[in-house]
Amino acid sequence: MNLGTFLFLLLQAGYQVNGQINSNNAYCPSFAPNKIQCNNDHQVPGLPALSMTVLSNFHTLNKSLLCGQTPKAQFKEAARCLFKSYSHCGDNDFKGLVTKISKFEEAVDLVCSRSDLVDHYASCIGDSVIDCIRNREAREKLTTSDVPSRDEQFNEFVHFYCRKREIEEECIFDDEDVDACSSSSTVPTFRELRLLMKPPACSSSGLMSSITVVIFYALVGLCVH
Ligand SMILES: *[C@@H]1O[C@H](CO)[C@@H](O)[C@H](O)[C@H]1NC(C)=O
């Protein structure tokens, strides 16, 4: 699946794409010009202009363009610049709902060092996963029309965004089609990637036990390879 199709499907499913912080122009006017500047200053030849959506799914980018020594360094610079500009739009609580840049950089190294595994696994994620995410989000009232409003407690936001991440993971890792398509060596890498991308606020102990299961598998993955 190419990046465009992948992003389209994810957006259709309401897949989490860093909507945690409101960076739209009326709310955070510094973001749009900063984003252009970040892209201009650290352009990676051949890759699309970077946005928070592209960064959320960077593992689907073309690795031969991304993973050379110079492009990878440029990509990390651009990402650092974008994360900083994006986080700048949110207060301290909301910053915790964004992937940590140091973890993101580790994720880039992981994806580049095992690009074949990541590409294979990503190619296994298809329509059935999207359907699963769509159904569960609807049942649990986690669709775009259910975004908490600003007068609600912060833990409502934590639940909304972190539970969406959990649902994505449950749908991906429990899916029969993905299971049949992937191999045992690809799964731990993908779990490790998801763990690195997990925002700090989503790792708090207040969350459901299934998150512990995901962390457990990711740690097993870390120990096995
Ligand atoms: C990735 O980029 C290289 C270099 O431009 C190109 O040859 C290759 O076909 C691309 N791969 C994919 C999957 O688009």
Side-chain angles (χ1 to χ4, degrees), residues 135-178:
N135 294 336
R136 291 206 195 168
E137 286 189 344
R139 271 182 235 132
E140 296 192 27
K141 304 277 174 279
L142 296 168
T143 67
T144 43
S145 58
D146 304 308
V147 180
S149 69
R150 290 279 155 174
D151 57 6
E152 290 182 65
Q153 295 291 320
F154 183 66
N155 63 18
E156 294 295 321
F157 289 90
V158 172
H159 174 75
F160 184 84
Y161 290 108
C162 299
R163 180 62 193 143
K164 277 165 94 79
R165 283 188 68 83
E166 277 188 323
I167 288 175
E168 286 158 21
E169 283 163 4
E170 289 167 9
C171 286
I172 291 169
F173 295 126
D174 293 345
D175 188 79
E176 286 177 15
D177 294 354
V178 174

Side-chain angles (χ1 to χ4, degrees), residues 46 60-65 119:
T60 61
L61 295 171
N62 184 326
K63 312 306 175 298
S64 45
L65 297 171
D119 280 344

Side-chain angles (χ1 to χ4, degrees), residues 36-55:
I36 293 169
Q37 193 71 45
C38 295
N39 274 293
N40 285 346
D41 289 350
H42 312 286
Q43 208 161 43
V44 184
L47 293 189
L50 301 185
S51 63
M52 294 310 291
T53 307
V54 171
L55 292 182

